[in-house]
């Protein structure tokens, strides 16, 4: 039996930190614990959010597994996928990306199909976000036949409604994925596409499909309609090259969601969507798939793992492909270190070995030069002919300038002599007024300080009550770029759920007034 699992982990380092991995040397043990808990021969992670320079050896090299990463080249802490294979399921080939532009000279999967509809710039952009890793395995089917099996681990783009160019990017990625998968099928290879496809296919796969405008007309859903076969197999129904493994076993299962909103706490009421899939070619699913499953009890991400069990055995390769992370220069011990360039390398002549005459002559010249430099007389501290000038000498008046006669100007009387002297009564009144002004200034200052510390120590103003439950709301902040970015607002504190459930959120919303 071969067990495969896919999980959008939403940051592999953050997941390890939540398990208490603070020391990098312990991360390998914690990651191995996660892999063993998933209990799969092949584990595919999406949204690892690890770039090449941030990849550490405990994440890359795990005992008993060989791993294959794809990194985002356009943005740090973004996207990224990784496939971990047990040593008993070591692939015969591995490749990063769908277009073949990042393929190694040896150890790549091949079979790219006709990609002439894309330019080289488009292909490079589609593969530069680290969204696909391919591993090819040699398998024995239940009939005893030996065939290649290619797993395509994908993290498909999300289409932001406010960015129409991202929808175009997403559909281009879908098209490129289909071209590559169909090319592998045409070459006689079994194919499994697994990962986060970022589209809920049918209304049964979404918690609130009825409220979404033109649900069936979504371009991503139309693409899935063309890729997948109709499970009902009615006369005239579409027969695509792939099948949805979970719907093959559970065609009417409701509430089978794999992704929930963390902000609204929708996982508490299972109010989400099914975005993660294990797709296989028709022959493979009908003949070898034994089960498909979801693991909603596994926490740590806004997605849950999905997987399948196949009735086949994997023949491990004798050596890992070149894409394996243990072959990276920084982990394989072949990367040159900076100390190798800074430490002088001295070679002493062997005992009894004759030294060439020209080397002896060079050494004598160096010794004579050293003697000449060392015998040079040092400068005397005192008695030098040319004394260094002091900095203050530049600010003293020059002696060579002629002395000018000093012109005495008539002295003016002081200003106080024109002021009429005050009487004793006026002095008393002025002193009383000054004292009253100083006292009032001190009192005003104390009042201002008191009000300030009261505002600081009293904390923020109490949150308003939601209209549905009359409970204090929670405050959120807008992080999406736009005119409201950075603004605070209040929403109902209860988790999001079905609208007819009174215990779920009442959808209360209120902007916070600026202080």
């Amino acid at each position: 039996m071969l067990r495969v699992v896919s999980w959008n982990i939403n940051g592999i380092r953050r997941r390890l930190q939540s398990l208490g991995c603070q020391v990098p040397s312990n991360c390998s043990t914690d990651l191995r614990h996660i892999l063993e808990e998933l209990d799969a021969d092949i584990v595919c992670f999406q949204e690892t959010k690890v770039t090449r320079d941030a990849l550490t050896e405990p994440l890359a090299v795990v005992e008993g597994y060989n791993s294959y990463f794809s990194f985002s080249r356009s943005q740090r802490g973004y996207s990224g996928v990784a496939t971990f294979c047990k040593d008993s399921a070591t692939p015969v080939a591995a490749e990063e990306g769908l277009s073949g532009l990042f393929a190694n000279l040896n150890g790549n999967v091949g079979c790219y199909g006709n990609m002439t509809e894309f330019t080289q710039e488009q292909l490079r952009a589609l593969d530069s976000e680290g969204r696909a890793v391919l591993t090819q395995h040699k398998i024995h089917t239940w009939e005893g036949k030996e065939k290649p099996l290619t797993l395509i681990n994908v993290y498909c783009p999300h289409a932001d409604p406010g960015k129409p160019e991202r929808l175009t990017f997403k559909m281009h990625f879908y098209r490129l994925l289909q071209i590559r998968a169909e090319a592998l099928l045409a070459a006689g290879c079994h194919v499994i596409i697994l990962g986060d496809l970022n589209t809920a296919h049918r209304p049964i796969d979404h918690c609130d499909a009825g409220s979404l405008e033109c649900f069936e007309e979504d371009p991503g859903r139309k693409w899935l309609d063309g890729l997948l076969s109709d499970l009902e197999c009615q006369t005239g129904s579409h027969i695509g090259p792939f099948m949805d493994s979970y719907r093959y076993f559970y065609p009417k299962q409701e509430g089978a969601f794999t992704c929930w909103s963390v902000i609204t706490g929708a996982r508490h009421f299972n109010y989400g969507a099914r975005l993660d899939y294990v797709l296989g070619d028709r022959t493979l699913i009908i003949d070898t798939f034994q089960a498909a499953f979801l693991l909603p009890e596994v926490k740590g991400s806004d997605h849950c793992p999905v997987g399948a069990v196949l009735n086949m055995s994997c023949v491990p390769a004798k050596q890992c492909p070149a894409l394996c992370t243990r072959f990276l220069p920084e982990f394989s011990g072949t990367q040159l270190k900076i100390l190798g360039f800074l430490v002088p390398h001295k070679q002493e002549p062997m005992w009894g070995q004759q030294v060439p005459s020209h080397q002896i002559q060079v050494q004598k010249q160096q010794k004579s030069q050293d003697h000449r430099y060392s015998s040079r007389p040092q400068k005397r501290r005192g008695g030098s002919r040319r004394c260094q000038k002091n900095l203050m000498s530049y600010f003293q008046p020059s002696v060579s300038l002629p002395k000018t006669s000093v012109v005495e100007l008539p002295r003016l009387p002081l200003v106080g002599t024109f002021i009429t002297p005050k009487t004793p009564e006026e002095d008393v009144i002025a002193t009383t007024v000054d004292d009253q002004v100083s006292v009032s200034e001190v009192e005003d200052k104390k009042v201002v300080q008191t009000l300030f510390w009261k505002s600081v120590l009293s904390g923020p103003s109490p949150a308003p009550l939601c209209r549905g439950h009359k409970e204090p709301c929670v405050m959120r902040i807008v992080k999406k770029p736009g005119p409201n970015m950075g603004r605070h607002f209040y929403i109902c504190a209860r988790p999001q759920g079905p609208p007819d459930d009174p215990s779920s959120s009442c959808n209360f919303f209120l902007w916070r007034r600026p202080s």
Side-chain angles (χ1 to χ4, degrees):
M1 293 293 180
L2 180 68
R3 179 181 167 99
V4 296
V5 168
S6 170
W7 188 18
N8 182 325
I9 199 168
N10 193 17
I12 190 170
R13 290 179 295 178
R14 186 179 63 86
R15 172 63 178 148
L16 293 176
Q17 290 174 358
S18 67
L19 294 176
C21 176
Q22 302 296 335
V23 183
S25 59
N26 298 335
C27 293
S28 178
T29 306
D30 293 335
L31 181 56
R32 186 180 179 186
H33 175 72
I34 294 176
L35 295 172
E36 291 177 350
E37 286 292 324
L38 295 175
D39 189 24
D41 300 288
I42 302 173
V43 179
C44 298
F45 292 121
Q46 298 88 41
E47 208 171 356
T48 57
K49 298 182 180 180
V50 176
T51 50
R52 171 69 183 274
D53 59 339
L55 184 66
T56 58
E57 187 170 357
L59 288 179
V61 182
V62 181
E63 185 180 357
Y65 294 84
N66 46 90
S67 59
Y68 308 88
F69 279 74
S70 178
F71 311 98
S72 173
R73 292 166 169 80
S74 59
Q75 186 176 346
R76 290 182 58 86
Y78 176 72
S79 187
V81 295
T83 300
F84 285 80
C85 305
K86 280 186 176 180
D87 291 340
S88 57
T90 301
V92 296
E95 185 178 327
E96 180 185 5
L98 298 172
S99 64
L101 296 179
F102 298 147
N104 296 322
L105 296 177
N106 34 354
N108 57 326
V109 176
C111 303
Y112 302 101
N114 186 8
M115 300 181 181
T116 54
E117 59 187 273
F118 297 105
T119 64
Q120 290 292 313
E121 291 77 11
Q122 288 176 329
L123 292 175
R124 186 169 295 277
L126 290 171
D127 274 344
S128 292
E129 293 188 358
R131 295 186 176 274
V133 160
L134 286 74
T135 54
Q136 193 169 82
H137 307 260
K138 187 185 295 184
I139 60 169
H140 278 303
T141 63
W142 62 277
E143 299 174 345
K145 297 180 181 179
E146 188 174 289
K147 290 196 69 175
L149 169 66
T150 301
L151 271 74
I152 307 180
N153 176 12
V154 291
Y155 173 47
C156 296
H158 170 68
D160 191 338
K163 297 180 179 178
E165 68 277 5
R166 291 302 294 177
L167 177 59
T168 304
F169 185 87
K170 178 178 182 176
M171 298 313 299
H172 284 173
F173 188 88
Y174 279 159
R175 177 59 183 158
L176 182 61
L177 173 61
Q178 184 173 356
I179 292 174
R180 186 67 187 274
E182 291 178 350
L184 289 165
L185 283 177
C189 181
H190 285 305
V191 178
I192 294 178
I193 302 174
L194 71 169
D196 181 4
L197 299 187
N198 251 321
T199 296
H201 186 203
R202 301 293 188 192
I204 195 176
D205 299 319
H206 199 283
C207 63
D208 198 14
S211 64
L212 297 179
E213 185 179 357
C214 302
F215 182 87
E216 299 287 349
E217 300 301 320
D218 180 78
R221 296 183 179 92
K222 285 190 172 183
W223 174 79
L224 280 174
D225 290 339
L227 182 71
L228 303 178
S229 294
D230 191 351
L231 298 176
E232 297 179 358
C233 296
Q234 298 177 355
T235 305
S237 60
H238 174 74
I239 299 177
F242 290 89
M243 297 180 71
D244 183 351
S245 63
Y246 187 82
R247 287 304 174 199
Y248 177 76
F249 290 100
Y250 310 100
K252 303 296 183 182
Q253 180 66 46
E254 297 182 355
F257 304 138
T258 65
C259 180
W260 306 266
S261 173
V262 177
I263 297 177
T264 60
R267 193 167 189 169
H268 180 77
F269 290 101
N270 191 27
Y271 197 71
R274 191 169 73 97
L275 307 180
D276 304 86
Y277 300 82
V278 179
L279 311 179
D281 62 85
R282 287 177 52 85
T283 305
L284 186 67
I285 285 189
I286 295 173
D287 293 343
T288 63
F289 269 62
Q290 297 296 306
F293 55 87
L294 312 178
L295 300 175
E297 68 276 4
V298 178
K299 305 296 179 60
S301 171
D302 56 343
H303 293 248
C304 77
V306 300
V309 179
L310 291 75
N311 186 15
M312 61 173 60
S313 60
C314 193
V315 181
K318 294 182 180 179
Q319 186 178 2
C320 297
L323 187 65
C324 183
T325 50
R326 67 178 58 174
F327 295 144
L328 293 177
E330 56 265 38
F331 305 137
S332 62
T334 59
Q335 184 177 15
L336 297 176
K337 297 183 178 180
I338 193 170
L339 291 179
F341 297 95
L342 299 181
V343 177
H345 185 65
K346 296 182 179 180
Q347 291 185 353
E348 298 290 340
M350 299 294 294
W351 178 260
Q353 184 179 358
Q354 256 189 347
V355 181
S357 59
H358 67 276
Q359 289 187 6
I360 298 176
Q361 186 176 1
V362 170
Q363 292 176 1
K364 288 183 178 179
Q365 291 178 359
Q366 290 179 351
K367 287 183 178 179
S368 63
Q369 289 178 0
D370 294 343
H371 178 70
R372 184 176 57 190
Y373 293 147
S374 62
S375 59
R376 179 178 297 177
Q378 298 181 355
K379 293 183 179 180
R380 291 176 296 178
R381 296 183 180 177
S384 60
R385 296 179 181 178
R386 187 175 181 180
C387 297
Q388 185 176 3
K389 291 186 177 181
N390 189 8
L391 182 62
M392 296 302 298
S393 63
Y394 293 95
F395 298 96
Q396 293 177 357
S398 177
V399 182
S400 60
L401 293 176
K403 294 183 179 181
T404 58
S405 57
V406 180
V407 180
E408 291 186 2
L409 298 176
R411 295 183 179 182
L412 297 177
L414 296 177
V415 179
T417 57
F418 297 100
I419 300 176
T420 306
K422 295 182 179 180
T423 60
E425 293 80 2
E426 292 177 346
D427 290 336
V428 172
I429 295 173
T431 304
T432 305
V433 171
D434 292 340
D435 292 342
Q436 291 177 355
V437 170
S438 61
V439 170
S440 62
E441 288 179 353
V442 172
E443 290 179 353
D444 292 341
K445 188 175 182 181
K446 288 183 179 180
V447 170
V448 171
Q449 291 179 350
T450 303
L451 294 176
F452 170 75
W453 285 111
K454 281 185 177 181
S455 64
V456 171
L457 299 177
S458 62
S461 57
L465 304 180
C466 66
R467 296 174 183 174
H469 310 101
K470 304 301 179 182
E471 297 174 351
C473 296
V474 292
M475 187 173 63
R476 306 292 186 192
I477 185 172
V478 180
K479 297 182 180 179
K480 185 178 180 180
N484 291 323
M485 184 175 180
R487 291 188 64 183
H488 293 79
F489 60 92
Y490 296 99
I491 59 173
C492 178
R494 295 200 179 190
Q496 188 179 10
D500 56 351
D501 189 346
S503 61
S504 63
S505 173
C506 62
N507 296 326
F508 175 80
F509 178 87
L510 179 67
W511 286 111
R512 181 191 176 190
R513 294 181 180 179
S515 56

